[in-house]
């Protein structure tokens, strides 16, 4: 107690002598706008940037010499799947160590609004993220999901304590499932109105827009008209409509056309999640896609995109199967895969090119599909192996191997699909309207996480963008690279007071060495943190100090304005 009193007295004596809570001394300021950097001091008070300039005549309660280091706005992760991993571990270590200060959720699904059945499904995801039913119960304060709406979920995270800020779009698939369920049918007029009302409620609570994912069920069942109706509500609240396109392969150009049409008809900004041309036969389409987007942008339609800087995607083996086989959810899907007639049909359909649905396995080629995640311990020796290798070992066909693994693991089985090429990655980065995402959870390289492999983007997307493509290959200069991860995503999402270093803006900051920032995660050994980021501040609080997490959990919910245009 005496020590505490002495500390309080000392703090009381020091505080009047300090002009600011924190002063960063002598850093190279990249303000996020893409212009030339400059050397200056930066002061922080009460969560926000207080001043930038020559502050030699002022004192900080905490002062840090950042001479020779880049000082930039915190990076905004346009597409994060840390929805459950942040419940299990609020530190967000794999992303904080790269400088990510805002995680944005909502690719097709969001953690609200939820029915009772949807809560049961979500509970299973929390159990997986936390490691056990007991751990999930402790983290959630009970044996069921304690929230109903998207806003309540985000507030739960904030109250629990998290290092990064969080924001979310409302999932188009989520509102569809809330109203219709998991079956493949169009909504009635009354149901569509109900879905629009759910979007409106979420937008008024601060959702940033509507997110869709059109290769997964039930999102794949939504028509262009249904999506337009939902997107139009987001547009009225200055939100964005985002999409994992209906096809990134055989029907890529048509799918980009659908997004553009939705944006035009709904009077809303349109955004493409993880833009890619998947499969060798489709690589040449990327130039046409970019030409088309540049054309409509020149006409005044706001279309943007994000990428993760790798030549491989990652998702489940469900992304290689027809939507009608997956209709009704996991249990119904698994039941169908045990039906002899359906299995016989899948033997043919999974190996036959089609424009009716997206077959990621066939676009990549089975020899380019690497299995990375199993629930069943007996299947884990297959981790890191290609689908063709596993099929050969088991003595079964590619389709049978896929179906059997899904059934034996009682999951969708996680996989990495090597389906892109480096030329297209560079071409996308050259476009000024392309931001960056991880499309991954945010975890720590420890504990149960080491029992499975993940895509290296989990640990390295932002560091790789800055090291490989900005510093080493000089595809774009550093100020522009920083803009792509700061003010550009803030603009796309219509987020206020973040993404730029300016007095009055929130003090979300990343301090890093442009010459040493580096990703280390590989496809073979993914659980490796990136290096080169020395300090990270979230809402003015230091969460990373000299590359080490401080344990601070100052993250807040970042909400849209919820105001009609």
């Amino acid at each position: 107690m005496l020590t505490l009193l002495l500390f309080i007295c000392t703090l009381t004596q020091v505080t009047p002598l300090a002009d600011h809570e924190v002063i960063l001394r002598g850093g190279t300021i990249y303000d996020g706008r893409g212009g030339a950097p400059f050397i200056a001091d930066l002061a922080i008070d009460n969560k926000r940037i207080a001043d930038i300039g020559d502050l030699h005549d002022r004192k900080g309660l905490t002062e840090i010499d950042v001479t020779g280091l880049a000082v930039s706005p915190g990076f905004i992760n346009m597409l994060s799947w840390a929805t459950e991993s942040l419940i299990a571990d609020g530190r967000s270590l794999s992303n904080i160590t790269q400088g990510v200060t805002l995680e944005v959720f909502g690719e097709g699904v969001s953690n609200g609004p939820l029915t009772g059945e949807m809560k049961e499904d979500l509970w299973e995801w929390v159990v997986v993220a936390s490691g056990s039913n007991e751990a999930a119960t402790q983290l959630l304060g009970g044996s069921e999901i304690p929230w109903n709406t998207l806003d309540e979920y985000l507030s739960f995270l904030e109250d629990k304590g998290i290092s990064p800020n969080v924001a979310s779009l409302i999932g188009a698939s989520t509102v569809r499932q809330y109203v219709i369920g998991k079956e493949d049918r169009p909504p009635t007029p009354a149901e569509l109105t109900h879905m629009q009302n759910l979007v409106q409620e979420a937008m008024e609570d601060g959702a940033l827009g509507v997110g869709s994912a059109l290769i997964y069920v039930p999102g794949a069942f939504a028509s262009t008209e249904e999506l337009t109706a939902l997107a139009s509500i987001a547009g009225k609240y200055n939100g964005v409509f985002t999409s994992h396109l209906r096809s990134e392969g055989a029907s890529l150009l048509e799918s980009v056309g659908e997004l553009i049409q939705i944006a035009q008809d709904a009077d809303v900004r349109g955004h493409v999640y993880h833009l890619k041309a998947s499969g060798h036969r489709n690589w040449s389409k990327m130039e046409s896609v970019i030409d088309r987007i540049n054309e409509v942008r020149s006409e005044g339609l706001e279309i943007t995109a994000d990428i993760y800087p790798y030549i491989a995607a990652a998702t489940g083996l469900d992304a290689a199967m027809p939507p009608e086989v997956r209709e009704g959810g996991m249990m119904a899907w698994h039941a169908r895969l045990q039906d002899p007639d359906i299995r016989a049909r899948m033997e043919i359909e999974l190996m036959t090119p089609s424009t009716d649905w997206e077959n990621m396995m066939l676009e990549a080629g089975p020899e380019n599909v690497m299995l990375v995640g199993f629930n069943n311990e007996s299947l884990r020796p297959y981790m890191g192996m290609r689908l063709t290798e596993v099929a050969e070992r088991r003595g079964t066909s590619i389709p049978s191997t896929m179906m059997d693994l899904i059934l034996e693991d009682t999951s969708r089985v996680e996989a990495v699909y090597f389906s892109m090429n480096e030329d297209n990655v560079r071409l996308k980065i050259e476009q000024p309207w392309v931001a960056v995402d991880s499309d991954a959870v945010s975890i720590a390289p420890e504990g149960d996480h080491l029992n499975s492999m993940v895509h290296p983007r989990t640990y390295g997307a932002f560091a790789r963008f800055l090291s490989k493509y900005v510093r080493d290959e000089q595809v774009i200069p550093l100020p522009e690279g920083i803009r792509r991860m700061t003010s550009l995503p803030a603009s796309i999402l219509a987020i206020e007071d973040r993404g730029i270093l300016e007095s009055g803006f929130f003090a979300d900051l990343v301090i890093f060495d442009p010459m040493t920032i580096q990703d280390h995660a590989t496809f073979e050994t993914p659980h490796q943190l990136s290096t080169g980021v020395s300090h990270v501040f979230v809402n003015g609080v230091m969460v990373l100090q000299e590359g080490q997490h401080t344990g601070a959990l100052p993250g807040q919910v970042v909400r849209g304005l919820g105001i009609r245009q």
Side-chain angles (χ1 to χ4, degrees):
M1 179 62 73
L2 179 60
T3 302
L4 178 60
L5 289 173
L6 288 172
F7 174 77
I8 292 172
C9 291
T10 303
L11 185 61
T12 303
Q13 291 170 359
V14 170
T15 302
L17 301 178
D19 301 290
H20 300 288
E21 294 173 6
V22 178
I23 295 181
L24 304 177
R25 295 287 187 191
T28 304
I29 305 293
Y30 294 81
D31 68 7
R33 295 182 175 93
F38 56 94
I39 296 174
D41 305 324
L42 185 149
I44 300 171
D45 285 320
N46 192 28
K47 299 184 179 182
R48 294 179 182 260
I49 298 170
D51 204 354
I52 302 173
D54 182 358
L55 309 180
H56 74 275
D57 58 344
R58 303 189 207 172
K59 300 282 188 187
L61 188 59
T62 298
E63 297 199 1
I64 305 173
D65 182 0
V66 293
T67 303
L69 300 178
V71 179
S72 90
F75 303 149
I76 297 174
N77 186 356
M78 281 293 297
L79 172 51
S80 169
W81 282 105
T83 40
E84 287 75 54
S85 60
L86 280 177
I87 296 174
D89 182 355
R91 293 175 299 167
S92 193
L93 200 62
S94 58
N95 277 344
I96 285 290
T97 50
Q98 297 182 73
V100 173
T101 59
L102 173 58
E103 306 278 5
V104 183
F105 312 136
E107 186 198 4
V109 298
S110 53
N111 278 357
L114 302 173
T115 63
E117 181 182 357
M118 293 166 76
K119 283 187 175 186
E120 292 176 4
D121 291 344
L122 181 56
W123 168 264
E124 296 302 322
W125 284 104
V126 177
V127 169
V128 171
S130 58
S132 67
N133 277 284
E134 293 74 16
T137 299
Q138 183 175 3
L139 288 166
L140 297 179
S143 57
E144 63 179 10
I145 300 297
W147 64 82
N148 296 297
T149 69
L150 175 57
D151 189 58
E152 288 170 354
Y153 157 71
L154 294 171
S155 295
F156 172 87
L157 280 184
E158 183 179 86
D159 293 343
K160 174 188 172 296
I162 49 177
S163 291
N165 296 314
V166 291
S168 185
L169 296 87
I170 183 167
S173 298
T174 297
V175 297
R176 169 175 251 273
Q177 185 175 347
Y178 188 95
V179 175
I180 299 175
K182 299 176 181 178
E183 61 265 33
D184 180 7
R185 67 171 178 84
T188 66
E191 288 171 334
L192 185 57
T193 298
H194 189 184
M195 292 164 67
Q196 288 180 303
N197 289 340
L198 291 173
V199 172
Q200 179 174 324
E201 291 169 13
M203 295 301 298
E204 290 177 350
D205 282 342
L208 301 181
V210 171
S212 62
L214 305 181
I215 71 165
Y216 304 107
V217 298
F221 303 144
S223 66
T224 304
E225 293 72 24
E226 177 184 319
L227 296 169
T228 302
L230 301 183
S232 67
I233 304 300
K236 291 178 181 178
Y237 288 85
N238 198 31
V240 64
F241 174 73
T242 65
S243 187
H244 177 144
L245 298 173
R246 209 175 288 275
S247 170
E248 297 172 328
S251 301
L252 173 60
L253 295 174
E254 294 82 356
S255 296
V256 171
E258 180 185 36
L259 175 82
I260 292 171
Q261 190 64 52
I262 291 170
Q264 289 173 330
D265 293 347
D267 191 20
V268 68
R269 299 187 307 281
H271 181 82
V272 181
Y273 277 137
H274 45 60
L275 177 64
K276 66 173 74 72
S278 183
H280 186 278
R281 64 187 177 129
N282 300 306
W283 290 348
S284 62
K285 296 177 181 179
M286 183 52 64
E287 289 188 10
S288 297
V289 167
I290 288 172
D291 287 345
R292 178 61 178 140
I293 292 177
N294 281 327
E295 179 184 9
V296 297
R297 284 176 57 85
S298 70
E299 296 168 354
L301 185 64
E302 260 191 89
I303 302 293
T304 53
D306 58 57
I307 64 164
Y308 42 83
Y310 296 87
I311 60 169
T315 187
L317 292 182
D318 56 332
M321 294 195 174
E324 66 268 18
V325 174
R326 294 176 275 148
E327 181 184 2
M330 187 78 76
M331 297 293 289
W333 174 39
H334 286 187
R336 290 191 187 96
L337 295 185
Q338 298 176 69
D339 183 303
D341 292 337
I342 292 177
R343 287 181 67 92
R345 198 182 94 207
M346 289 298 96
E347 288 284 346
I348 299 171
E349 289 190 10
L350 293 185
M351 303 304 291
T352 304
S354 173
T355 57
D356 294 335
W357 53 283
E358 187 87 331
N359 185 337
M360 287 187 64
M361 180 274 293
L362 206 56
E363 293 291 6
E367 71 281 3
N368 294 318
V369 178
M370 184 171 77
L371 304 175
V372 297
F374 293 98
N375 295 332
N376 186 337
E377 290 186 22
S378 68
L379 298 177
R380 288 177 184 168
Y382 294 143
M383 288 196 308
M385 295 177 60
R386 303 302 173 106
L387 184 56
T388 46
E389 295 177 80
V390 177
E392 184 176 353
R393 284 199 180 192
R394 294 169 69 102
T396 54
S397 68
I398 295 294
S400 287
T401 300
M402 292 170 63
M403 291 185 283
D404 291 344
L405 291 175
I406 289 166
L407 292 172
E408 291 169 31
D409 202 54
T410 62
S411 78
R412 67 177 197 164
V413 178
E414 299 298 323
V416 167
Y417 297 80
F418 292 88
S419 59
M420 295 171 272
N421 72 333
E422 283 287 354
D423 288 343
N424 276 347
V425 173
R426 297 184 188 96
L427 179 61
K428 290 180 290 185
I429 291 173
E430 289 171 355
Q431 310 311 310
W433 37 267
V434 171
V436 181
D437 73 75
S438 73
D439 193 9
V441 297
S442 188
I443 54 178
E446 59 192 34
D448 290 339
H449 300 305
L450 301 180
N451 291 328
S452 63
M453 301 173 72
V454 292
H455 192 298
R457 66 192 183 191
T458 307
Y459 290 92
F462 296 84
R464 180 179 176 83
F465 183 80
L466 288 173
S467 60
K468 178 177 173 62
Y469 296 102
V470 174
R471 181 187 65 222
D472 298 343
E473 299 189 6
Q474 300 181 22
V475 178
I476 55 175
L478 181 57
E480 175 65 8
I482 289 173
R483 185 187 74 85
R484 304 296 189 82
M485 302 185 291
T486 57
S487 68
L488 175 61
S491 173
I492 292 169
L493 299 168
I495 293 171
E496 291 197 329
D497 297 347
R498 299 184 195 268
I500 293 175
L501 298 187
E502 183 176 304
S503 295
F505 276 50
F506 281 95
D508 298 336
L509 311 170
V510 53
I511 297 93
F512 67 98
D513 186 342
M515 299 308 296
T516 64
I517 189 167
Q518 188 65 56
D519 62 307
H520 300 286
T522 66
F523 290 101
E524 292 75 24
T525 55
H527 293 289
Q528 301 186 77
L529 296 173
S530 294
T531 55
V533 173
S534 58
H535 296 77
V536 174
F537 288 80
V538 176
N539 301 314
V541 177
M542 188 157 50
V543 296
L544 200 72
Q545 182 178 21
E546 300 294 347
Q548 300 300 311
H549 203 288
T550 66
L553 304 170
Q556 299 178 179
V557 179
V558 175
R559 294 180 173 87
L561 297 179
I563 299 173
R564 285 181 181 270
Q565 288 182 319

